[in-house]
Amino acid sequence: MSAPAAGEVRLCVRCVLPSTFPGISFDARGLCSLCQDAPPAPEFEKIRGDLRRKLEAVFDANRGKAEYDVIVAFSGGKDSSYTLMALTRTYGLKCLAVTIDNGFIAEQAQKNLRAVTSSLGIDFLLFTPAPVFMHHLYKTSATTPVHTKAALTRASSICNSCINLINNHMVKLALEKSVPIIAGGYIGGQVPKDSVIMVMDLDVQARFRSEAIKRYLKHFGPDAEGYFGIGDTLVARSALRKINIVNPMLAFGVSEERIIEEISELGWRKTADTGSNSTNCLLNDLGIAVHYKQHRYNPYVNEIAEQVRTGLMSREDAIHKVQDIPDFARVERQARAIGLEWGDV
Amino acid sequence: MDDTIRRYLVDTLLIEFGDDGSAVSEDANLFESGLIDSFGFVQLVAFLEKTFDIKISDEEVLSDALSSFAKIRSFVEGKVAS
Ligand SMILES: [Zn+2]
């Protein structure tokens, strides 16, 4: 633990966002600007109920149209496992679980991938990008400003690069198989507030992608085109013009304890080696350590604060999680694996 | 209106406007410079629609009408006036 000394950084009295968090200000009561505008925690259940009805409408409108109803970006972590379970069992959707093996999936998490998908009786696809590219991607993400400041308030630079690669892969698969919905296991604070349902217009996306690709090619080299591009022929060939991107966890509103309790029934077990903010990825703590060194706040704090604000986590648990910043000794092995020196960060 | 849009771009999308060399000018293209990504753009469109009670069409989304602070401001002014 190398958390800041008390008094050095001010925390919101309701949600734990720190004074080091970008764009934040505090009122006289000690409430952060996000909490000042937020309804009391119990009211979020009504908001989530409305969102669940909207989600159901999207599911109803798209069920049975293709080989699969939905592609689920499945990390094997607790949230995407729960998402997969709910979409399959509660909503009766035909899911294709897709995992990107970034080379850092914990051993227990690899077992969880198999356990969850086989318990649910669903198809499971594993894609392993070349490690040489992934290591370069991670190292560059740790040492170069690649993402927008806003994106960095939701996840570390290393995580953002990985998430973008994963999302792009899911879009490609959806186009290939004409699957109208892609679901992520993101929870509040990991994605913008309004992203329970986002209709992705492929033409709008093409514009952002071409800007992003230019930067990715510069930072990550020529192979970035394959991992972050989609290809005009694939878009032209596909019957889809729009894809529904959904993040059902934002509407479900379940606590971490209940998630783990429910997915345990599928044979899911907690990892022991992925730090306090991940249940699948061995690289996560390195992402946190790098982010903290560069920005002086835990990249998970937005997510954790949102859980507290919406009544899904106690403030006490949140403070404990937020202050668990891995020191370099704890992430040295991972840093070495991607060729990263602490001095380069 | 100017202030509401500016505050959103500064506080939520974390864009730093100003006159010194490192800051962003009001005419700078926010997409080409990588200051707004696709998530940010979706957020921005939703914010403008909700805050100013306007509807932004697919064509407008695809056009260059929202590519800089100056353009966003005049676009919203035009929408609100009509
Ligand atoms: Zn707060």
Side-chain angles (χ1 to χ4, degrees):
Chain A
M1 301 258 282
S2 59
E8 199 179 302
V9 175
R10 187 173 172 194
L11 301 185
C12 169
V13 295
R14 176 171 165 187
C15 81
V16 311
L17 271 189
S19 49
T20 45
F21 192 79
I24 207 89
S25 59
F26 291 90
D27 70 7
R29 296 166 294 175
L31 283 176
C32 77
S33 28
L34 294 180
C35 284
Q36 289 162 36
D37 299 334
E43 274 182 40
F44 280 95
E45 193 34 47
K46 192 196 160 295
I47 295 170
R48 288 190 289 254
D50 293 340
L51 292 171
R52 284 196 291 275
R53 276 183 288 281
K54 285 186 185 160
L55 260 184
E56 274 164 38
V58 171
F59 295 156
D60 289 344
N62 289 287
R63 205 178 270 110
K65 284 193 170 167
E67 184 187 354
Y68 298 100
D69 298 323
V70 52
I71 288 175
V72 180
F74 178 49
S75 71
K78 62 178 169 55
D79 298 321
S80 63
S81 296
Y82 187 90
T83 303
L84 201 54
M85 181 174 79
L87 296 190
T88 304
R89 289 194 174 163
T90 311
Y91 296 96
L93 295 166
K94 185 158 192 230
C95 296
L96 172 64
V98 183
T99 301
I100 307 296
D101 180 358
N102 68 351
F104 293 91
I105 303 180
E107 211 177 301
Q108 180 57 51
Q110 295 184 37
K111 291 180 189 161
N112 290 339
L113 294 171
R114 306 281 168 186
V116 168
T117 49
S118 74
S119 293
L120 292 171
I122 59 174
D123 293 349
F124 168 48
L125 209 57
L126 189 69
F127 174 66
T128 310
V132 63
F133 178 79
M134 295 307 280
H135 293 176
H136 178 57
L137 174 86
Y138 291 137
K139 185 184 173 182
T140 309
S141 304
T143 51
T144 320
V146 179
H147 303 287
T148 65
K149 284 187 181 152
L152 292 175
T153 63
R154 296 187 292 265
S156 71
S157 180
I158 285 177
C159 272
N160 262 295
S161 295
C162 207
I163 290 167
N164 286 348
L165 185 148
I166 291 168
N167 289 346
N168 195 64
H169 190 76
M170 301 302 151
V171 171
K172 274 190 191 170
L173 272 178
L175 288 171
E176 274 167 20
K177 297 179 178 298
S178 296
V179 179
I181 306 174
I182 297 172
Y186 298 109
I187 61 172
Q190 292 178 331
V191 282
K193 275 191 173 50
D194 302 325
S195 49
V196 176
I197 304 164
M198 288 180 299
V199 181
M200 174 182 171
D201 182 304
L202 290 163
D203 296 324
V204 175
Q205 279 300 308
R207 168 181 173 175
F208 284 100
R209 194 167 297 107
S210 67
E211 295 301 337
I213 291 275
K214 280 184 219 153
R215 282 194 301 282
Y216 289 163
L217 284 171
K218 191 177 88 195
H219 294 304
F220 306 139
D223 288 342
E225 180 82 52
Y227 293 112
F228 294 99
I230 283 190
D232 296 340
T233 44
L234 182 55
V235 178
R237 223 169 51 213
S238 176
L240 296 177
R241 291 327 324 145
K242 293 184 179 193
I243 301 176
N244 298 281
I245 312 280
V246 300
N247 289 300
M249 293 302 282
L250 300 181
F252 292 162
V254 274
S255 68
E256 191 173 320
E257 294 77 38
R258 219 187 95 200
I259 290 170
I260 291 176
E261 192 185 310
E262 293 200 27
I263 58 177
S264 295
E265 185 218 318
L266 305 174
W268 188 95
R269 299 289 174 266
K270 216 171 168 178
T271 49
D273 47 1
T274 49
S276 45
N277 289 295
S278 171
T279 49
N280 65 308
C281 183
L282 295 169
L283 209 55
N284 202 59
D285 269 349
L286 177 63
I288 297 174
V290 169
H291 188 100
Y292 191 81
K293 189 179 182 195
Q294 292 168 337
H295 306 286
R296 308 313 290 174
Y297 65 91
N298 187 325
Y300 276 86
V301 74
N302 194 32
E303 161 196 330
I304 292 167
E306 181 76 6
Q307 303 302 301
V308 176
R309 199 179 296 125
T310 56
L312 299 172
M313 191 189 290
S314 74
R315 195 165 181 276
E316 209 178 4
D317 286 352
I319 290 175
H320 177 76
K321 270 182 186 269
V322 165
Q323 294 193 334
D324 186 18
I325 303 292
D327 55 26
F328 185 57
R330 208 162 109 190
V331 295
E332 200 175 352
R333 195 167 46 86
Q334 292 94 314
R336 210 168 278 142
I338 62 167
L340 179 71
E341 299 282 340
W342 199 232
D344 298 338
V345 172
Chain B
M1 174 184 301
D2 177 285
D3 199 45
T4 308
I5 299 172
R6 183 188 296 266
R7 240 189 8 245
Y8 185 78
L9 292 172
V10 172
D11 291 348
T12 304
L13 299 179
L14 303 174
I15 295 163
E16 289 160 23
F17 293 105
D19 297 325
D20 70 89
S22 65
V24 179
S25 86
E26 294 191 357
D27 296 310
N29 187 309
L30 302 171
F31 308 128
E32 283 170 12
S33 50
L35 290 162
I36 295 187
D37 58 14
S38 57
F39 253 160
F41 188 65
V42 171
Q43 279 182 283
L44 173 67
V45 169
F47 167 80
L48 295 174
E49 289 193 323
K50 198 172 154 195
T51 308
F52 300 105
D53 194 22
I54 56 175
K55 189 86 199 94
I56 303 176
S57 71
D58 286 356
E59 289 73 33
E60 287 163 337
V61 164
L62 277 169
S63 75
D64 248 358
L66 301 171
S67 59
S68 68
F69 176 40
K71 284 186 179 173
I72 295 168
R73 187 175 47 206
S74 53
F75 174 81
V76 174
E77 274 166 5
K79 277 272 174 182
V80 171
S82 69

